Amino acid sequence: KARSLGVQSVDHKMDPIVKAPVRKQGIVEKLGGQQGGHRTWKARYFVLTDQLAYYNKQADYASGASPNLIRLSAYFVSATETFRKKGEAKPKGGFFEFQIHAYPKSMTCRTKEESVMHEWIRAIMEPIEQMRRPIRDIRLERKAKELAMEEAVKSGKPVDPAAIAAGGGAA
């Protein structure tokens, strides 16, 4: 006989799943074979929202097929070391590579245009940069207050810390 724990069941309507907005999408080549297969470059259709999804082709995305996912909860992105000879417009092989270092899966990607590579890097890193901005702003404000305090002390005028905190200076 089952024992009751005194918990009542409440029938809640599920809120509809809200899809995150698409921040960037397009074709990028990714390096395959990182789990024992052949290391080959394959063009994939990438869609960046709050995570990075990729499909074999754009039609798969349009039809609602299940994507391969790179979760962007702990990650960073960097351009790979690509060596060019002086005067060359493109690196050896003609592609610009970047790596997405994510937990638990990372990948190497490439584009034909350097500007497109940088667009992808910026788009993927944007949430991290937005989190860093407030910290930078706080540090800049703190430094400005320290400088205002130093100037007030050097001028020999009475120092009003409340005025400096509010953005003013000496009394």
Side-chain angles (χ1 to χ4, degrees):
K1 189 173 180 180
R3 229 170 94 183
S4 172
L5 298 175
V7 177
Q8 293 182 347
S9 172
V10 179
D11 187 21
H12 290 288
K13 287 186 178 180
M14 293 289 292
D15 290 332
I17 295 174
V18 178
K19 288 188 175 183
V22 174
R23 296 196 325 253
K24 184 155 182 65
Q25 58 188 324
I27 295 172
V28 174
E29 289 189 8
K30 77 174 235 21
L31 184 59
Q34 287 150 348
Q35 295 178 352
H38 294 289
R39 295 181 59 83
T40 57
W41 290 100
K42 299 282 185 177
R44 296 291 182 246
Y45 190 75
F46 281 77
V47 179
L48 175 64
T49 58
D50 56 346
Q51 51 193 351
L52 185 60
Y54 63 95
Y55 304 82
N56 286 338
K57 52 190 179 260
Q58 186 174 359
D60 293 343
Y61 169 66
S63 71
S66 294
N68 294 291
L69 289 175
I70 302 294
R71 301 203 187 282
L72 300 176
S73 53
Y75 70 99
F76 71 95
V77 183
S78 63
T80 61
E81 290 292 324
T82 312
F83 299 98
R84 298 185 202 183
K85 292 181 181 174
K86 284 191 175 187
E88 282 186 335
K90 288 192 174 186
K92 186 177 180 183
F95 289 92
F96 297 89
E97 294 179 14
F98 60 101
Q99 292 181 318
I100 303 166
H101 308 273
Y103 179 80
K105 184 177 180 181
S106 296
M107 69 171 46
T108 301
C109 298
R110 71 183 186 182
T111 63
K112 290 182 180 179
E113 301 295 327
E114 186 174 17
S115 61
V116 174
M117 176 193 70
H118 289 298
E119 287 171 11
W120 276 102
I121 291 172
R122 274 192 299 277
I124 296 168
M125 291 298 292
E126 183 180 23
I128 291 175
E129 292 302 320
Q130 286 178 353
M131 285 187 291
R132 289 181 181 168
R133 271 192 207 119
I135 294 169
R136 279 190 218 125
D137 293 346
I138 291 167
R139 288 181 181 151
L140 289 173
E141 287 173 12
R142 188 178 298 150
K143 186 68 176 170
K145 289 175 186 176
E146 288 171 4
L147 291 173
M149 182 69 86
E150 287 174 16
E151 284 182 29
V153 170
K154 285 179 185 176
S155 70
K157 295 179 183 176
V159 176
D160 181 0
I164 289 174

